[in-house]
Amino acid sequence: MIELARRHKDRFVLKPSNLYEGRGVHLGLQKSRSEWEKTIAGALADDYVLQEFIQEPSMTIGTWKDGLEMERRFIHRGEFVFGRKFSGYYRPAAEGPLIDRTGRERLVPGLILGS
């Protein structure tokens, strides 16, 4: 797996197994070859998960600042669980392919079509 991650860095994400809100997440496609090698070395010394990177769809959405502005956002998928039961979906629209606690996400509506 380590060699696979090294050879195909743009296909993978390294995530800490014990953090949330995008903390410590590294996208191979956002790293230079040397940065990715350092990231792999750090992950091997800690508890990380190697995950395949799935490109989220993007779209232009309207946001309001001093007036209506159109911005390209990556539309992520998430699920709500309440009382140990699935309770619905949410769709954060992020400026980049990662959602993190420092980003300026916007929530967009998600409709479930079909039965």
Side-chain angles (χ1 to χ4, degrees):
M1 298 246 339
I2 296 166
E3 279 308 308
L4 186 65
R6 283 189 171 119
R7 279 183 301 200
H8 304 283
K9 74 175 188 66
D10 292 353
R11 289 180 40 199
F12 292 101
V13 178
L14 276 167
K15 296 179 169 185
S17 64
N18 59 351
L19 296 177
Y20 55 94
E21 294 181 335
R23 290 180 173 108
V25 175
H26 302 276
L27 289 181
L29 62 93
Q30 292 181 327
K31 303 275 185 190
S32 69
R33 177 64 55 195
S34 63
E35 289 172 329
W36 186 242
E37 289 296 328
K38 289 177 187 172
T39 301
I40 290 172
L44 289 170
D46 206 341
D47 193 13
Y48 271 71
V49 173
L50 180 67
Q51 178 179 327
E52 183 179 5
F53 174 69
I54 305 294
Q55 181 66 56
E56 295 289 349
S58 66
M59 65 186 291
T60 302
I61 64 170
T63 61
W64 190 267
K65 294 179 184 168
D66 292 330
L68 181 64
E69 295 184 19
M70 302 305 286
E71 297 180 342
R72 181 172 177 250
R73 297 292 179 123
F74 292 86
I75 310 301
H76 297 268
R77 296 167 287 241
E79 298 81 28
F80 282 116
V81 175
F82 185 77
R84 295 185 172 177
K85 293 184 179 182
F86 170 75
S87 300
Y89 295 100
Y90 66 97
R91 297 281 186 258
E95 293 177 303
L98 271 182
I99 296 176
D100 68 28
R101 60 190 167 81
T102 63
R104 296 184 322 119
E105 289 88 27
R106 306 286 191 258
L107 288 179
V108 295
L111 301 174
I112 301 172
L113 302 175
S115 54

